[in-house]
Amino acid sequence: MNQARPASMSAFWMPFTNNRDFKANPRLLVSADGMYYKDVDGNQVLDGAAGLWCVPCGHNQPKIVAAVREMVGQLDFAPTFQMGHPAAFDLAEQLMDFTGHKFGHVFYTNSGSEAVDTALKMALAYHRARGEGQRTRLIGRERGYHGVGFGGLSVGGIGGNRKSFGPLLPGVDHLPHTHNLDLNAYTRGEPEHGVNLADELERIVALHDASNIAAVIVEPVAGSTGVLIPPKGYLKRLRELCDKHGILLIFDEVITGFGRLTTPFAADYFGVEPDLMTTAKGLTNGVIPMGAVFSKAHIHDAFMNAPAGIELFHGYTYSGHPIACAAALATLEVFKEQDILGHAAAMQQYWADAVHSLKGLPHVIDIRTIGLIAGIELSPIAGKPGARAFAAFKQAFADGVLIRVTGDIIALSPPLVLEKQHIDELFGKLSTVLKNLD
């Protein structure tokens, strides 16, 4: 791979990027190993964001690299429409083990966005298969992020993501978000206040009638909007209300899945089981694009009771791609062999202490932590929302640390293999950045 500055960067229209600002002063990465990237100038950059929430096992894991190399030479592509290959079935069985057999089946996609749209379609088709085809209404949540497909945008609740694309899907409502600075600032773990917000589902049910509602979709921890942690009892209350009204509950675990909360999934951490669960990112340690939807057995079985033929008219060319399956199988081996979850659990207290040590620094108005995630909220510059955090992002990179920002919130989610010295380096440098912010 070219490790020099490209002769031109004009042709690449970059995603979720201020293209003009970036290309005037680009941040170019050329290699990665363990906890660090290396930029085009040879500088080490500590990864405080697991790439884009997607590298739980650290970069350049030898077992994953070897598995991908082997599969490229053995089976570069195989379709999974009316055909298959062994790795797709082997991975599905191992994923059932990783979930503790709380689900019965898994459907492969290529990203979190595709996983979300797949889950929404499954929910609609499930009710139709059971003779309740009038259940078409979908319920998302304010400030929720569910990818960039039209389904995910529709149930998502981040205004900037929605505003340019017209009316989106009809028949969608949104629960209120759970963020409350007045009552829940500087929380470790689940905040005390806000379980009552789940009862807003009853208001939506009263408005539309439960017989018309297909599913509720939420992120257990809302990541992309800035690490919003659910209040104590909130997710359990949502589960109770969905059961009461025959509504499916979908957890979007694209960020929280594969160890981010020190458990396999957030569903395990909170003790709440959804009917459908979307995943991606950490599934392959970010090496190859892949997503997956986990389904309870009764949802899958409703389709299998239909007349003989294709049960679900849905899928993607690259569903269960052999190279992605190889990467995912190797990732699961690394999780087990290196006790990634156990190590993450051992680090979470030191992590939380380090994050909360930033309290009192200039412009910091809230800090929230759970597992190995942190949100550090900054006061905005008047008339320039997001500018202060973006300035912190740029300076942190210049100082050798990769962070993620959303609005005026710094969101941290390091690889789960980090050690105490990495935590010290991250927050030592970030502290200096914050002290010198305008």
Side-chain angles (χ1 to χ4, degrees), residues 63-356:
K63 183 177 286 287
I64 303 173
V65 173
V68 169
R69 283 176 173 163
E70 180 180 356
M71 188 61 84
V72 169
Q74 176 184 330
L75 184 64
D76 56 356
F77 177 77
T80 54
F81 293 12
Q82 306 285 17
M83 301 184 71
H85 60 89
F89 296 95
D90 292 343
L91 175 60
E93 294 299 326
Q94 292 199 28
L95 286 171
M96 292 303 103
D97 290 342
F98 196 71
T99 67
H101 293 274
K102 295 182 177 70
F103 297 87
H105 304 273
V106 62
F107 189 102
Y108 298 126
T109 68
N110 307 293
S111 67
S113 293
E114 290 181 0
V116 165
D117 280 17
T118 296
L120 297 177
K121 290 174 74 173
M122 284 179 172
L124 295 171
Y126 164 76
H127 289 297
R128 183 182 179 90
R130 295 172 56 253
E132 291 191 89
Q134 81 284 353
R135 284 187 180 263
T136 58
R137 187 162 290 273
L138 301 168
I139 312 299
R141 187 167 60 183
E142 296 168 354
R143 296 189 66 170
Y145 180 76
H146 301 293
V148 295
F150 271 92
L153 280 179
S154 299
V155 295
I158 298 178
N161 293 351
R162 296 163 53 93
K163 67 181 181 181
S164 299
F165 306 110
L168 304 177
L169 297 183
V172 175
D173 288 86
H174 291 80
L175 295 165
H177 67 75
T178 63
H179 190 34
N180 189 325
L181 270 178
D182 292 334
L183 296 177
N184 292 325
Y186 297 101
T187 295
R188 297 182 185 223
E190 299 164 83
E192 293 289 339
H193 304 281
V195 63
N196 59 296
L197 294 170
D199 290 324
E200 284 294 306
L201 181 57
E202 289 281 31
R203 178 186 60 80
I204 296 173
V205 167
L207 178 63
H208 297 292
D209 195 81
S211 65
N212 292 310
I213 301 175
V216 171
I217 181 169
V218 296
E219 301 161 273
V221 175
S224 293
T225 194
V227 188
L228 305 186
I229 301 166
K232 290 180 179 177
Y234 174 88
L235 294 175
K236 289 183 179 179
R237 181 61 177 153
L238 273 187
R239 176 73 274 178
E240 292 168 0
L241 293 175
C242 286
D243 287 343
K244 173 183 175 182
H245 295 296
I247 300 168
L248 296 182
L249 179 60
I250 304 170
F251 276 1
D252 183 339
E253 294 230 29
V254 171
I255 283 176
T256 52
F258 298 94
R260 185 47 54 191
L261 302 189
T262 75
T263 52
F265 299 95
D268 303 303
Y269 185 96
F270 294 111
V272 179
E273 294 185 20
D275 300 291
L276 294 163
M277 184 171 74
T278 66
T279 64
K281 294 190 184 291
L283 172 57
T284 63
N285 202 45
V287 172
I288 298 288
M290 190 181 204
V293 180
F294 292 87
S295 165
K296 289 288 191 178
H298 68 273
I299 295 176
H300 166 271
D301 293 349
F303 292 91
M304 299 305 129
N305 292 329
I310 295 173
E311 298 92 5
L312 179 64
F313 283 82
H314 178 73
Y316 303 95
T317 298
Y318 301 114
S319 291
H321 193 288
I323 299 172
C325 288
L329 284 163
T331 297
L332 292 178
E333 290 183 30
V334 170
F335 262 93
K336 183 177 181 179
E337 292 172 1
Q338 298 184 18
D339 190 21
I340 299 293
L341 297 178
H343 180 75
M347 288 293 106
Q348 64 179 332
Q349 185 63 52
Y350 195 85
W351 167 261
D353 289 345
V355 183
H356 284 274

